[in-house]
Amino acid sequence: MLEQLARLGRVGISILAHIGRGNILLFHILGGIGDIVVRPRLLIQQLYSVGVLSMLIISVSGTFVGMVLALQGYYTLSQFGAEQSLGVVVAASLVRELGPVVAALLFAGRAGSALTAEIGLMKATEQLSGLEMMAVDPIRRILTPRFLAGVISMPLLAALFSALGIMGGYFVGVGLLGVDDGAFWSQMQSKIDLHEDIYNGVIKSFVFGWICSWIALFQGYDAVPTSEGVSRATTRTVVHSSLAVLGIDFILTALMFGG
Amino acid sequence: MTSDTEPLVKIRGLRFFRGERAIFDGVDIDITRGSITAIMGPSGTGKTTLLKLISGQLRPQGGTIEVNGQNIHQLSRRALYRLRIRMGMLFQSGALLTDVSVFDNVAYPLQEHAHLPPSMIRKLVMLKLEAVGLRGARDLMPSALSGGMARRVALARAIALDPMMIMYDEPFTGQDPISLGVLVQLIRALNDASRLTSIIVSHDVQETTEIADYIYVISDGRVIDHGPPDAMMHSDAPWTGQFMRGLANGPVPFHYPAPGLEQDLLGA
């Protein structure tokens, strides 16, 4: 009994230590933002590899999600004779919810896992120690630009996801199912609110970008420097990021739209 | 200020633990200026850990390490980084940045700290690469280098800022005979030409005794012997003799502690 209690305590302490290390790392990462102003090239490189290279998967997924939404939405709406509202349904679902959330899940799988593997391998091959020995702070030089790139890219990727999703929905709804072109756009225009829907979606994706980048970088930096350790850290990045995105999405949705 | 006769690195009563295990328990080491000092000992005795402690990457639980008269673990981050600019380290793996070329690897510390125009940096990089015989490999990526070449590039990078000391972590491990010979000569030549102080961590007895001026042997968290290479090779102390001459029999057992063989084979 006492032994089990002690084990529970050890697990608790190790979780708290983990969270503590994560927060210390985050403060350290944020402390390096000043360096980026001096060396913007570091950020631009990362915006390319974290953001631009994720565009393809985000675009394709967004288009298909929008197409499916239109199909499903049309079926439900047609039962009430409200097919003309298809544009609102597709746009609201994407901008409020699916855009930020699915883009973040894809981001965690595509860019987050790559970040963890990269940082973990740099640790395993002593490149981070090497930088430290050259009197270069690896957190500020390597982690900060990647973190910022993630936080900046995420809302843009989510916007791209939503925009292409709406185009996909338009193609299926108007092009294939015969919803009226004018009704599709005008209802969307009148019902989608800039503050209520779009700003809240942007806030969500900003938060997800922050969380996913933080988790990915921390897992890489905290990884056991062996091939097995890096592989586990990469898995943890995807699992933790996905769970965090879904959990935080619920909280944010409740705060934004619950009242 | 410190005088020239003071040791460059002064370690006193160093204690370092990993969990419950004592890696160092009361270690005293002096590294004389301008010399090549070797730290030797069997694998797993914490030789690399010692270099990390000297460079301030790890913090000891007890004792002090002074480098050039400064207690390394009481320095602010900024002061520690300033001191590290004057310390080079050659990692066992080379630790080259894998996504940039050989040239950019060697140029990196200069671009970070030297504030020189690009044309001057280029000249300095060429000189450093020439010193390790790899000027022609400047456009290669690290993945295209052999292990020996990678280590020489790393050496060029370590001396890029003309440090006062270089720490070599197992420089001879996994080298073919030719690159081994080149490396041994290079370390000696660099040390003498630039009045460097070198610390070599190694368990390769032959190569190390060839170039070291002084040897410390550590085992089980303590310095068990030290002296010039000749004296160490002919030491009567059983442990030192076994290690330096590579004998299977001696105070260090060949077998990891285990119950009797009969018990394992025939059951209890």
Side-chain angles (χ1 to χ4, degrees):
Chain A
M1 177 66 191
L2 211 60
E3 177 59 29
Q4 276 170 343
L5 210 62
R7 198 174 304 149
L8 196 69
R10 273 199 293 275
V11 170
I13 287 171
S14 105
I15 290 173
L16 285 178
H18 202 67
I19 294 172
R21 284 203 303 280
N23 279 294
I24 290 170
L25 182 74
L26 181 65
F27 278 113
H28 207 139
I29 286 174
L30 296 177
I33 289 178
D35 288 16
I36 300 295
V37 181
V38 187
R39 292 186 174 81
R41 207 167 61 92
L42 289 174
L43 177 62
I44 293 167
Q45 281 170 350
Q46 292 312 315
L47 280 172
Y48 177 76
S49 69
V50 170
V52 175
L53 294 183
S54 302
M55 277 170 65
L56 183 66
I57 185 174
I58 294 281
S59 308
V60 174
S61 314
T63 310
F64 279 110
V65 168
M67 288 163 77
V68 170
L69 267 180
L71 278 178
Q72 297 279 17
Y74 183 82
Y75 172 74
T76 314
L77 289 171
S78 64
Q79 300 201 335
F80 307 100
E83 303 92 13
Q84 305 308 321
S85 302
L86 186 66
V88 187
V89 170
V90 170
S93 318
L94 281 168
V95 173
R96 281 180 164 204
E97 204 55 57
L98 290 171
V101 172
V102 181
L105 294 176
L106 292 169
F107 179 84
R110 154 69 186 71
S113 58
L115 284 178
T116 304
E118 186 188 16
I119 304 294
L121 278 174
M122 285 184 91
K123 187 180 180 189
T125 52
E126 294 184 309
Q127 291 182 59
L128 296 183
S129 295
L131 283 176
E132 260 196 52
M133 279 312 298
M134 286 190 275
V136 173
D137 186 341
I139 296 181
R140 289 174 169 225
R141 192 55 45 81
I142 305 288
L143 270 62
T144 304
R146 283 162 176 74
F147 179 77
L148 281 184
V151 174
I152 295 171
S153 305
M154 194 66 246
L156 296 170
L157 290 172
L160 180 73
F161 187 98
S162 297
L164 284 167
I166 290 169
M167 293 313 290
Y170 175 80
F171 171 71
V172 169
V174 177
L176 302 181
L177 299 171
V179 174
D180 181 59
D181 193 359
F184 186 89
W185 291 118
S186 64
Q187 289 219 15
M188 191 191 302
Q189 200 177 5
S190 64
K191 294 278 166 46
I192 299 293
D193 185 61
L194 182 66
H195 289 269
E196 177 84 349
D197 299 309
I198 296 180
Y199 283 176
N200 279 339
V202 171
I203 292 172
K204 273 188 179 181
S205 58
F206 178 78
V207 173
F208 296 157
W210 179 289
I211 295 289
C212 289
S213 313
W214 179 23
I215 290 177
L217 293 172
F218 175 63
Q219 291 298 348
Y221 195 73
D222 207 47
V224 179
T226 60
S227 37
E228 198 198 352
V230 174
S231 113
R232 281 181 182 211
T234 312
T235 310
R236 270 204 304 272
T237 290
V238 178
V239 173
H240 289 192
S241 301
S242 307
L243 292 177
V245 164
L246 296 171
I248 291 170
D249 182 48
F250 174 74
I251 297 170
L252 287 177
T253 307
L255 289 175
M256 290 168 173
F257 309 110
Chain B
M1 280 310 290
T2 51
S3 75
D4 269 5
T5 50
E6 271 277 292
L8 182 65
V9 180
K10 204 157 114 183
I11 302 176
R12 289 291 175 271
L14 179 70
R15 295 176 71 239
F16 182 77
F17 290 80
R18 276 239 160 85
E20 298 286 297
R21 199 163 85 90
I23 308 287
F24 298 115
D25 197 1
V27 166
D28 298 337
I29 290 176
D30 283 334
I31 311 281
T32 318
R33 279 169 204 271
S35 71
I36 299 182
T37 306
I39 315 276
M40 306 195 71
S43 305
T45 43
K47 301 189 293 293
T48 305
T49 309
L50 184 65
L51 293 187
K52 290 195 167 171
L53 284 161
I54 294 175
S55 58
Q57 292 184 62
L58 292 174
R59 190 167 274 279
Q61 275 85 6
T64 58
I65 298 178
E66 282 181 17
V67 178
N68 207 23
Q70 293 173 287
N71 185 336
I72 199 124
H73 296 104
Q74 283 178 353
L75 292 176
S76 67
R77 198 173 176 76
R78 190 179 289 260
L80 178 63
Y81 273 29
R82 242 193 333 262
L83 187 60
R84 274 191 193 153
I85 294 177
R86 306 183 60 203
M87 299 161 98
M89 181 152 172
L90 184 70
F91 287 86
Q92 196 172 350
S93 59
L96 295 175
L97 298 170
T98 45
D99 54 352
V100 294
S101 68
V102 164
F103 179 92
D104 289 328
N105 261 290
V106 181
Y108 193 82
L110 292 163
Q111 286 161 346
E112 285 293 327
H113 300 296
H115 308 296
L116 292 170
S119 60
M120 180 65 106
I121 288 184
R122 199 189 119 82
K123 283 185 188 129
L124 283 172
V125 172
M126 289 305 155
L127 287 174
K128 301 297 174 188
L129 282 173
E130 176 73 17
V132 298
L134 289 175
R135 193 164 43 84
R138 60 179 179 265
D139 295 326
L140 296 181
M141 292 303 279
S143 55
L145 302 176
S146 70
M149 285 161 82
R151 221 168 283 186
R152 275 150 69 194
V153 174
L155 185 55
R157 187 177 70 174
I159 57 170
L161 289 169
D162 292 318
M164 60 180 177
M165 67 183 270
I166 294 199
M167 294 178 277
Y168 299 90
D169 186 5
E170 301 281 6
F172 310 120
T173 308
Q175 299 283 315
D176 66 66
I178 301 175
S179 30
L180 195 65
V182 171
L183 209 58
V184 169
Q185 280 178 12
L186 210 52
I187 292 176
R188 185 77 251 183
L190 275 175
N191 195 80
D192 297 347
S194 342
R195 293 256 321 130
L196 276 167
T197 303
S198 307
I199 306 176
I200 298 180
V201 146
S202 178
H203 53 227
D204 295 292
V205 175
Q206 198 194 334
E207 289 76 22
T208 310
T209 46
E210 220 172 285
I211 53 167
D213 298 313
Y214 204 82
I215 295 179
Y216 282 86
V217 178
I218 51 176
S219 177
D220 290 332
R222 308 184 152 272
V223 173
I224 53 165
D225 210 348
H226 57 99
D230 271 355
M232 297 293 280
M233 281 310 270
H234 303 107
S235 171
D236 293 333
W239 203 104
T240 313
Q242 185 193 4
F243 180 78
M244 300 299 287
R245 294 193 282 275
L247 307 174
N249 292 317
V252 180
F254 168 70
H255 289 286
Y256 193 81
L261 184 61
E262 302 80 7
Q263 197 184 329
D264 262 354
L265 291 181
L266 304 172

